[in-house]
Amino acid sequence: MNVKVKKLTGDDVEPFIELILLFQEVLETDMVTQTRPEHLYRLLARPDFVVFVARFANQVIGGLTAYLLPQYYSEKPVVYLYDIAIGANYQGQGIGTKLLTQLMQYCRSLGAEELFVQADKEDSQAIHFYRATGGAPMQVIQFTYPLNE
């Protein structure tokens, strides 16, 4: 299978929308994007926001989003992998690994110090993937403060 991985730029709003729709399907979230294409364009143009997509037969079949975060105790940024998903028909074929590898290569080229990602304790598939790709687990408790209630 000839899967192509590409880092999106500000001109790539349509594949980004395809990826967002894929996230909704695969991650089973009811969060629907209500942002205008202009906002997505500005987001893709930001140097601290990264999107990679995997395409097969001119269709987005997977992708990821990540944020580069500056640090105050080091000049090297850290990278937070926010979302990653592969379409159900394409899972287990190395596409997620290919995306993650591309992200890590890109972040190394920027001099980033570390990449981190969170996984729900119950999401055994994600935990297995991150371990299989060399991730080291840390036990943390995340607290969330809803701000729009």
Side-chain angles (χ1 to χ4, degrees), residues 9 12 19 34 45 76 79 81 84 86 90 103 111 116 126 135 144:
T9 65
D12 296 318
L19 178 61
Q34 297 178 2
K76 297 178 179 182
V79 181
L81 174 55
I84 183 170
I86 308 301
Y90 301 96
L103 175 64
F116 67 100
T144 302

Side-chain angles (χ1 to χ4, degrees), residues 105-145:
Q105 288 174 352
Y106 175 75
C107 294
R108 282 187 190 108
S109 76
L110 298 177
E113 186 171 320
E114 177 178 84
L115 170 77
F116 67 100
V117 61
Q118 295 169 306
D120 289 333
K121 208 174 193 179
E122 297 80 25
D123 192 346
S124 59
Q125 186 177 3
I127 292 168
H128 174 75
F129 172 74
Y130 296 129
R131 281 192 172 130
T133 54
M138 292 178 63
Q139 293 292 327
V140 297
I141 298 174
Q142 175 179 311
F143 294 89
T144 302
Y145 296 89

Side-chain angles (χ1 to χ4, degrees), residues 20-91:
I20 292 167
L21 294 172
L22 181 72
F23 283 159
Q24 290 170 348
E25 177 185 322
V26 174
L27 303 176
E28 298 176 349
T29 178
D30 57 357
M31 293 178 60
V32 177
T33 187
Q34 297 178 2
T35 59
R36 296 175 311 203
E38 297 82 17
H39 171 71
L40 299 177
Y41 172 82
R42 285 190 303 272
L43 189 59
L44 286 170
R46 291 180 59 99
D48 57 352
F49 181 69
V50 180
V51 180
F52 279 90
V53 295
R55 295 184 85 121
F56 177 68
N58 207 27
Q59 175 186 0
V60 173
I61 60 167
L64 60 79
T65 58
Y67 294 89
L68 279 77
L69 305 171
Q71 301 183 84
Y72 55 85
Y73 49 86
S74 172
E75 293 181 20
K76 297 178 179 182
V78 294
V79 181
Y80 175 55
L81 174 55
Y82 188 74
D83 274 326
I84 183 170
I86 308 301
N89 295 337
Y90 301 96
Q91 293 178 5

Side-chain angles (χ1 to χ4, degrees), residues 1 6 10 14 16 76 127 141:
M1 180 183 328
K6 178 186 179 192
E14 287 304 317
F16 188 26
K76 297 178 179 182
I127 292 168
I141 298 174

